[in-house]
Amino acid sequence: MGSRPRQEPADSVVWFHSYLHGGTSSLISTLTTLITFPLYKTVFRQQLHSTLVREAVAQLLREGPLKLYRGVAPPLLMRSLNGTLLFGLQDTLLQQLSLRDTSAVPRTALPALAGLGAGVLEAVLFTPFERVQNVLQNSRNDTSLPTLRSILHRLASKPPASGYYTAFLPVLVRNALGSSLYFGLKDPMCETLRACGCSPVASSFITGVLNSMVISLPLYPLSVLVANMQAQVDGGGGVRSSWKRLWAARQHRLVLLYRGGSLVIFRSCITWGITTAIYDQLKRRSRSSG
């Protein structure tokens, strides 16, 4: 009892460092988001219209350079805040779980369980950002909703399920599973690479790359579904009807559903490799200085 008050400030410092390091690593990695945004927008058009790369690029070229970065603000803001909360919340939940009697759950599974909780909160907080981003990137909305303010006003006038929280269920499943896999695999994978002789920075970067690949491949169809549900301001229907339309539009072929997936996975691998390497390096420095 007497020792507990002395531990709480230390725990608070650790939690603060997790939020700070997550935010810093994600802020730095937003440079890759800015640089690769035209690539991301090309993929989005493929997800939406099931076009070839050259057709999506030609479409963007016709729209001109002024519209190339339309929709870049939400992902930049979301990326910075996302890292801050994702890493911070996961570490906070992990410490809370570690303090409780969790004999029913192996301790090795606690990082994945904490990642699952962090992914759920991430979906609640960031679905509106993704919704706005997808509306902005759909060129069919340029005439009726030319500005960010007009989009925000239109979405705010709708009920949450058809406004800011359209496609919340697939976002929730994707983010929760993705975060759980990321944090569950991160440390074991990193330790294995270190045992094989990789340097700390290299092992963290490779872990981020491999982790992203493992997560992105099975969850990519959910991202396609989310993009198609959120790109339209009006209509769209529920998850089941939207999936049926999407699957029919892709001619019931998995290869067409994954069109553009290689570009998404490549971008995600680079981003998460950099983010993981920076986060782990900051965490190691914090521990050594403490």
Side-chain angles (χ1 to χ4, degrees), residues 34-58:
L34 187 63
I35 294 169
T36 61
F37 184 74
L39 176 66
Y40 178 85
K41 199 164 186 178
T42 302
V43 172
F44 175 80
R45 295 296 172 84
Q46 288 187 276
Q47 291 176 339
L48 199 61
H49 307 303
S50 188
T51 58
L52 297 173
V53 174
R54 63 175 180 272
E55 294 171 342
V57 170

PDB file of all heavy atoms in Angstrom, residues 34-58:
ATOM      1  N   LEU A  34       3.106  12.675 -47.295  1.00  0.00           N
ATOM      2  CA  LEU A  34       3.049  13.829 -48.188  1.00  0.00           C
ATOM      3  C   LEU A  34       3.662  13.496 -49.550  1.00  0.00           C
ATOM      4  O   LEU A  34       3.105  13.823 -50.597  1.00  0.00           O
ATOM      5  CB  LEU A  34       3.797  15.003 -47.552  1.00  0.00           C
ATOM      6  CG  LEU A  34       3.696  16.351 -48.265  1.00  0.00           C
ATOM      7  CD1 LEU A  34       2.260  16.838 -48.299  1.00  0.00           C
ATOM      8  CD2 LEU A  34       4.583  17.387 -47.578  1.00  0.00           C
ATOM      9  N   ILE A  35       4.805  12.809 -49.510  1.00  0.00           N
ATOM     10  CA  ILE A  35       5.504  12.476 -50.754  1.00  0.00           C
ATOM     11  C   ILE A  35       4.724  11.463 -51.582  1.00  0.00           C
ATOM     12  O   ILE A  35       4.641  11.561 -52.808  1.00  0.00           O
ATOM     13  CB  ILE A  35       6.919  11.945 -50.435  1.00  0.00           C
ATOM     14  CG1 ILE A  35       7.776  13.059 -49.814  1.00  0.00           C
ATOM     15  CG2 ILE A  35       7.594  11.412 -51.694  1.00  0.00           C
ATOM     16  CD1 ILE A  35       9.086  12.582 -49.238  1.00  0.00           C
ATOM     17  N   THR A  36       4.132  10.488 -50.894  1.00  0.00           N
ATOM     18  CA  THR A  36       3.465   9.389 -51.611  1.00  0.00           C
ATOM     19  C   THR A  36       1.969   9.611 -51.778  1.00  0.00           C
ATOM     20  O   THR A  36       1.269   8.704 -52.228  1.00  0.00           O
ATOM     21  CB  THR A  36       3.688   8.049 -50.871  1.00  0.00           C
ATOM     22  OG1 THR A  36       3.112   8.142 -49.547  1.00  0.00           O
ATOM     23  CG2 THR A  36       5.156   7.717 -50.764  1.00  0.00           C
ATOM     24  N   PHE A  37       1.461  10.808 -51.446  1.00  0.00           N
ATOM     25  CA  PHE A  37       0.021  11.030 -51.546  1.00  0.00           C
ATOM     26  C   PHE A  37      -0.503  10.852 -52.972  1.00  0.00           C
ATOM     27  O   PHE A  37      -1.583  10.268 -53.158  1.00  0.00           O
ATOM     28  CB  PHE A  37      -0.363  12.415 -51.028  1.00  0.00           C
ATOM     29  CG  PHE A  37      -1.845  12.655 -51.011  1.00  0.00           C
ATOM     30  CD1 PHE A  37      -2.656  12.048 -50.055  1.00  0.00           C
ATOM     31  CD2 PHE A  37      -2.452  13.471 -51.962  1.00  0.00           C
ATOM     32  CE1 PHE A  37      -4.030  12.247 -50.047  1.00  0.00           C
ATOM     33  CE2 PHE A  37      -3.821  13.685 -51.965  1.00  0.00           C
ATOM     34  CZ  PHE A  37      -4.611  13.064 -50.995  1.00  0.00           C
ATOM     35  N   PRO A  38       0.195  11.334 -54.009  1.00  0.00           N
ATOM     36  CA  PRO A  38      -0.293  11.061 -55.368  1.00  0.00           C
ATOM     37  C   PRO A  38      -0.411   9.564 -55.644  1.00  0.00           C
ATOM     38  O   PRO A  38      -1.339   9.133 -56.339  1.00  0.00           O
ATOM     39  CB  PRO A  38       0.782  11.705 -56.258  1.00  0.00           C
ATOM     40  CG  PRO A  38       1.351  12.802 -55.409  1.00  0.00           C
ATOM     41  CD  PRO A  38       1.367  12.244 -54.021  1.00  0.00           C
ATOM     42  N   LEU A  39       0.519   8.784 -55.090  1.00  0.00           N
ATOM     43  CA  LEU A  39       0.435   7.330 -55.230  1.00  0.00           C
ATOM     44  C   LEU A  39      -0.808   6.799 -54.536  1.00  0.00           C
ATOM     45  O   LEU A  39      -1.548   5.971 -55.085  1.00  0.00           O
ATOM     46  CB  LEU A  39       1.688   6.686 -54.630  1.00  0.00           C
ATOM     47  CG  LEU A  39       1.755   5.161 -54.603  1.00  0.00           C
ATOM     48  CD1 LEU A  39       1.829   4.606 -56.013  1.00  0.00           C
ATOM     49  CD2 LEU A  39       2.953   4.694 -53.781  1.00  0.00           C
ATOM     50  N   TYR A  40      -1.062   7.301 -53.306  1.00  0.00           N
ATOM     51  CA  TYR A  40      -2.237   6.871 -52.551  1.00  0.00           C
ATOM     52  C   TYR A  40      -3.516   7.250 -53.298  1.00  0.00           C
ATOM     53  O   TYR A  40      -4.477   6.471 -53.344  1.00  0.00           O
ATOM     54  CB  TYR A  40      -2.226   7.521 -51.169  1.00  0.00           C
ATOM     55  CG  TYR A  40      -3.445   7.177 -50.334  1.00  0.00           C
ATOM     56  CD1 TYR A  40      -3.486   6.004 -49.578  1.00  0.00           C
ATOM     57  CD2 TYR A  40      -4.562   8.012 -50.317  1.00  0.00           C
ATOM     58  CE1 TYR A  40      -4.606   5.684 -48.833  1.00  0.00           C
ATOM     59  CE2 TYR A  40      -5.684   7.680 -49.571  1.00  0.00           C
ATOM     60  CZ  TYR A  40      -5.695   6.520 -48.820  1.00  0.00           C
ATOM     61  OH  TYR A  40      -6.803   6.191 -48.090  1.00  0.00           O
ATOM     62  N   LYS A  41      -3.527   8.430 -53.882  1.00  0.00           N
ATOM     63  CA  LYS A  41      -4.724   8.882 -54.591  1.00  0.00           C
ATOM     64  C   LYS A  41      -4.963   8.040 -55.844  1.00  0.00           C
ATOM     65  O   LYS A  41      -6.112   7.771 -56.211  1.00  0.00           O
ATOM     66  CB  LYS A  41      -4.582  10.359 -54.965  1.00  0.00           C
ATOM     67  CG  LYS A  41      -5.914  11.030 -55.292  1.00  0.00           C
ATOM     68  CD  LYS A  41      -5.799  12.536 -55.262  1.00  0.00           C
ATOM     69  CE  LYS A  41      -7.152  13.200 -55.438  1.00  0.00           C
ATOM     70  NZ  LYS A  41      -7.070  14.671 -55.356  1.00  0.00           N
ATOM     71  N   THR A  42      -3.890   7.617 -56.486  1.00  0.00           N
ATOM     72  CA  THR A  42      -4.009   6.718 -57.631  1.00  0.00           C
ATOM     73  C   THR A  42      -4.657   5.411 -57.216  1.00  0.00           C
ATOM     74  O   THR A  42      -5.556   4.893 -57.889  1.00  0.00           O
ATOM     75  CB  THR A  42      -2.613   6.431 -58.232  1.00  0.00           C
ATOM     76  OG1 THR A  42      -2.000   7.669 -58.626  1.00  0.00           O
ATOM     77  CG2 THR A  42      -2.720   5.518 -59.439  1.00  0.00           C
ATOM     78  N   VAL A  43      -4.209   4.879 -56.078  1.00  0.00           N
ATOM     79  CA  VAL A  43      -4.776   3.628 -55.557  1.00  0.00           C
ATOM     80  C   VAL A  43      -6.244   3.806 -55.191  1.00  0.00           C
ATOM     81  O   VAL A  43      -7.069   2.928 -55.437  1.00  0.00           O
ATOM     82  CB  VAL A  43      -3.974   3.145 -54.329  1.00  0.00           C
ATOM     83  CG1 VAL A  43      -4.662   1.966 -53.662  1.00  0.00           C
ATOM     84  CG2 VAL A  43      -2.562   2.770 -54.736  1.00  0.00           C
ATOM     85  N   PHE A  44      -6.566   4.959 -54.588  1.00  0.00           N
ATOM     86  CA  PHE A  44      -7.963   5.216 -54.211  1.00  0.00           C
ATOM     87  C   PHE A  44      -8.867   5.171 -55.427  1.00  0.00           C
ATOM     88  O   PHE A  44      -9.968   4.608 -55.381  1.00  0.00           O
ATOM     89  CB  PHE A  44      -8.063   6.579 -53.526  1.00  0.00           C
ATOM     90  CG  PHE A  44      -9.478   6.992 -53.217  1.00  0.00           C
ATOM     91  CD1 PHE A  44     -10.129   6.485 -52.103  1.00  0.00           C
ATOM     92  CD2 PHE A  44     -10.155   7.882 -54.039  1.00  0.00           C
ATOM     93  CE1 PHE A  44     -11.441   6.858 -51.814  1.00  0.00           C
ATOM     94  CE2 PHE A  44     -11.452   8.264 -53.756  1.00  0.00           C
ATOM     95  CZ  PHE A  44     -12.102   7.745 -52.635  1.00  0.00           C
ATOM     96  N   ARG A  45      -8.414   5.758 -56.533  1.00  0.00           N
ATOM     97  CA  ARG A  45      -9.227   5.740 -57.744  1.00  0.00           C
ATOM     98  C   ARG A  45      -9.385   4.304 -58.262  1.00  0.00           C
ATOM     99  O   ARG A  45     -10.429   3.939 -58.795  1.00  0.00           O
ATOM    100  CB  ARG A  45      -8.584   6.622 -58.822  1.00  0.00           C
ATOM    101  CG  ARG A  45      -8.553   8.101 -58.461  1.00  0.00           C
ATOM    102  CD  ARG A  45      -9.952   8.683 -58.331  1.00  0.00           C
ATOM    103  NE  ARG A  45      -9.951  10.032 -57.816  1.00  0.00           N
ATOM    104  CZ  ARG A  45      -9.771  11.125 -58.564  1.00  0.00           C
ATOM    105  NH1 ARG A  45      -9.576  11.010 -59.864  1.00  0.00           N
ATOM    106  NH2 ARG A  45      -9.789  12.320 -58.003  1.00  0.00           N
ATOM    107  N   GLN A  46      -8.333   3.491 -58.090  1.00  0.00           N
ATOM    108  CA  GLN A  46      -8.443   2.087 -58.485  1.00  0.00           C
ATOM    109  C   GLN A  46      -9.450   1.348 -57.605  1.00  0.00           C
ATOM    110  O   GLN A  46     -10.216   0.521 -58.083  1.00  0.00           O
ATOM    111  CB  GLN A  46      -7.081   1.402 -58.396  1.00  0.00           C
ATOM    112  CG  GLN A  46      -6.105   1.827 -59.482  1.00  0.00           C
ATOM    113  CD  GLN A  46      -4.841   0.996 -59.435  1.00  0.00           C
ATOM    114  OE1 GLN A  46      -3.927   1.270 -58.676  1.00  0.00           O
ATOM    115  NE2 GLN A  46      -4.796  -0.041 -60.244  1.00  0.00           N
ATOM    116  N   GLN A  47      -9.410   1.644 -56.302  1.00  0.00           N
ATOM    117  CA  GLN A  47     -10.350   1.022 -55.379  1.00  0.00           C
ATOM    118  C   GLN A  47     -11.788   1.412 -55.712  1.00  0.00           C
ATOM    119  O   GLN A  47     -12.703   0.595 -55.604  1.00  0.00           O
ATOM    120  CB  GLN A  47     -10.028   1.440 -53.938  1.00  0.00           C
ATOM    121  CG  GLN A  47      -8.730   0.874 -53.408  1.00  0.00           C
ATOM    122  CD  GLN A  47      -8.419   1.395 -52.020  1.00  0.00           C
ATOM    123  OE1 GLN A  47      -8.936   2.431 -51.603  1.00  0.00           O
ATOM    124  NE2 GLN A  47      -7.578   0.682 -51.289  1.00  0.00           N
ATOM    125  N   LEU A  48     -11.964   2.654 -56.124  1.00  0.00           N
ATOM    126  CA  LEU A  48     -13.306   3.177 -56.355  1.00  0.00           C
ATOM    127  C   LEU A  48     -13.874   2.739 -57.701  1.00  0.00           C
ATOM    128  O   LEU A  48     -15.046   2.376 -57.814  1.00  0.00           O
ATOM    129  CB  LEU A  48     -13.268   4.710 -56.273  1.00  0.00           C
ATOM    130  CG  LEU A  48     -14.597   5.428 -56.052  1.00  0.00           C
ATOM    131  CD1 LEU A  48     -15.227   5.003 -54.736  1.00  0.00           C
ATOM    132  CD2 LEU A  48     -14.375   6.940 -56.069  1.00  0.00           C
ATOM    133  N   HIS A  49     -13.019   2.779 -58.743  1.00  0.00           N
ATOM    134  CA  HIS A  49     -13.507   2.538 -60.100  1.00  0.00           C
ATOM    135  C   HIS A  49     -12.965   1.258 -60.735  1.00  0.00           C
ATOM    136  O   HIS A  49     -13.311   0.951 -61.874  1.00  0.00           O
ATOM    137  CB  HIS A  49     -13.153   3.719 -60.999  1.00  0.00           C
ATOM    138  CG  HIS A  49     -13.599   5.044 -60.462  1.00  0.00           C
ATOM    139  ND1 HIS A  49     -14.910   5.314 -60.149  1.00  0.00           N
ATOM    140  CD2 HIS A  49     -12.892   6.178 -60.158  1.00  0.00           C
ATOM    141  CE1 HIS A  49     -15.006   6.562 -59.689  1.00  0.00           C
ATOM    142  NE2 HIS A  49     -13.791   7.098 -59.671  1.00  0.00           N
ATOM    143  N   SER A  50     -12.097   0.536 -60.015  1.00  0.00           N
ATOM    144  CA  SER A  50     -11.493  -0.702 -60.516  1.00  0.00           C
ATOM    145  C   SER A  50     -10.793  -0.486 -61.858  1.00  0.00           C
ATOM    146  O   SER A  50     -10.913  -1.285 -62.799  1.00  0.00           O
ATOM    147  CB  SER A  50     -12.560  -1.806 -60.663  1.00  0.00           C
ATOM    148  OG  SER A  50     -11.953  -3.042 -60.980  1.00  0.00           O
ATOM    149  N   THR A  51     -10.047   0.601 -61.937  1.00  0.00           N
ATOM    150  CA  THR A  51      -9.325   0.929 -63.161  1.00  0.00           C
ATOM    151  C   THR A  51      -7.884   0.436 -63.079  1.00  0.00           C
ATOM    152  O   THR A  51      -7.376   0.130 -62.003  1.00  0.00           O
ATOM    153  CB  THR A  51      -9.308   2.453 -63.395  1.00  0.00           C
ATOM    154  OG1 THR A  51      -8.707   3.090 -62.253  1.00  0.00           O
ATOM    155  CG2 THR A  51     -10.707   2.984 -63.584  1.00  0.00           C
ATOM    156  N   LEU A  52      -7.229   0.374 -64.241  1.00  0.00           N
ATOM    157  CA  LEU A  52      -5.806   0.061 -64.278  1.00  0.00           C
ATOM    158  C   LEU A  52      -5.013   1.272 -63.799  1.00  0.00           C
ATOM    159  O   LEU A  52      -5.522   2.397 -63.764  1.00  0.00           O
ATOM    160  CB  LEU A  52      -5.386  -0.315 -65.696  1.00  0.00           C
ATOM    161  CG  LEU A  52      -6.045  -1.583 -66.288  1.00  0.00           C
ATOM    162  CD1 LEU A  52      -5.661  -1.728 -67.746  1.00  0.00           C
ATOM    163  CD2 LEU A  52      -5.654  -2.818 -65.492  1.00  0.00           C
ATOM    164  N   VAL A  53      -3.741   1.053 -63.472  1.00  0.00           N
ATOM    165  CA  VAL A  53      -2.899   2.134 -62.972  1.00  0.00           C
ATOM    166  C   VAL A  53      -2.825   3.273 -63.982  1.00  0.00           C
ATOM    167  O   VAL A  53      -2.983   4.448 -63.635  1.00  0.00           O
ATOM    168  CB  VAL A  53      -1.478   1.624 -62.646  1.00  0.00           C
ATOM    169  CG1 VAL A  53      -0.565   2.783 -62.273  1.00  0.00           C
ATOM    170  CG2 VAL A  53      -1.513   0.619 -61.504  1.00  0.00           C
ATOM    171  N   ARG A  54      -2.597   2.933 -65.240  1.00  0.00           N
ATOM    172  CA  ARG A  54      -2.448   3.980 -66.262  1.00  0.00           C
ATOM    173  C   ARG A  54      -3.737   4.789 -66.439  1.00  0.00           C
ATOM    174  O   ARG A  54      -3.688   5.988 -66.712  1.00  0.00           O
ATOM    175  CB  ARG A  54      -2.000   3.369 -67.595  1.00  0.00           C
ATOM    176  CG  ARG A  54      -2.966   2.388 -68.225  1.00  0.00           C
ATOM    177  CD  ARG A  54      -2.469   1.944 -69.603  1.00  0.00           C
ATOM    178  NE  ARG A  54      -3.356   0.995 -70.242  1.00  0.00           N
ATOM    179  CZ  ARG A  54      -3.287  -0.317 -70.077  1.00  0.00           C
ATOM    180  NH1 ARG A  54      -2.361  -0.820 -69.286  1.00  0.00           N
ATOM    181  NH2 ARG A  54      -4.129  -1.120 -70.697  1.00  0.00           N
ATOM    182  N   GLU A  55      -4.884   4.121 -66.265  1.00  0.00           N
ATOM    183  CA  GLU A  55      -6.158   4.839 -66.377  1.00  0.00           C
ATOM    184  C   GLU A  55      -6.368   5.782 -65.207  1.00  0.00           C
ATOM    185  O   GLU A  55      -6.862   6.906 -65.375  1.00  0.00           O
ATOM    186  CB  GLU A  55      -7.309   3.830 -66.449  1.00  0.00           C
ATOM    187  CG  GLU A  55      -7.297   2.979 -67.718  1.00  0.00           C
ATOM    188  CD  GLU A  55      -8.303   1.847 -67.653  1.00  0.00           C
ATOM    189  OE1 GLU A  55      -8.746   1.518 -66.534  1.00  0.00           O
ATOM    190  OE2 GLU A  55      -8.637   1.287 -68.706  1.00  0.00           O
ATOM    191  N   ALA A  56      -5.995   5.336 -63.996  1.00  0.00           N
ATOM    192  CA  ALA A  56      -6.120   6.191 -62.817  1.00  0.00           C
ATOM    193  C   ALA A  56      -5.175   7.389 -62.912  1.00  0.00           C
ATOM    194  O   ALA A  56      -5.549   8.520 -62.565  1.00  0.00           O
ATOM    195  CB  ALA A  56      -5.818   5.386 -61.557  1.00  0.00           C
ATOM    196  N   VAL A  57      -3.957   7.147 -63.389  1.00  0.00           N
ATOM    197  CA  VAL A  57      -2.989   8.233 -63.551  1.00  0.00           C
ATOM    198  C   VAL A  57      -3.485   9.237 -64.590  1.00  0.00           C
ATOM    199  O   VAL A  57      -3.382  10.455 -64.403  1.00  0.00           O
ATOM    200  CB  VAL A  57      -1.607   7.673 -63.949  1.00  0.00           C
ATOM    201  CG1 VAL A  57      -0.666   8.796 -64.344  1.00  0.00           C
ATOM    202  CG2 VAL A  57      -1.009   6.868 -62.798  1.00  0.00           C
ATOM    203  N   ALA A  58      -4.014   8.730 -65.701  1.00  0.00           N
ATOM    204  CA  ALA A  58      -4.540   9.611 -66.755  1.00  0.00           C
ATOM    205  C   ALA A  58      -5.686  10.460 -66.215  1.00  0.00           C
ATOM    206  O   ALA A  58      -5.811  11.644 -66.556  1.00  0.00           O
ATOM    207  CB  ALA A  58      -5.002   8.773 -67.951  1.00  0.00           C
TER     208      ALA A  58
END
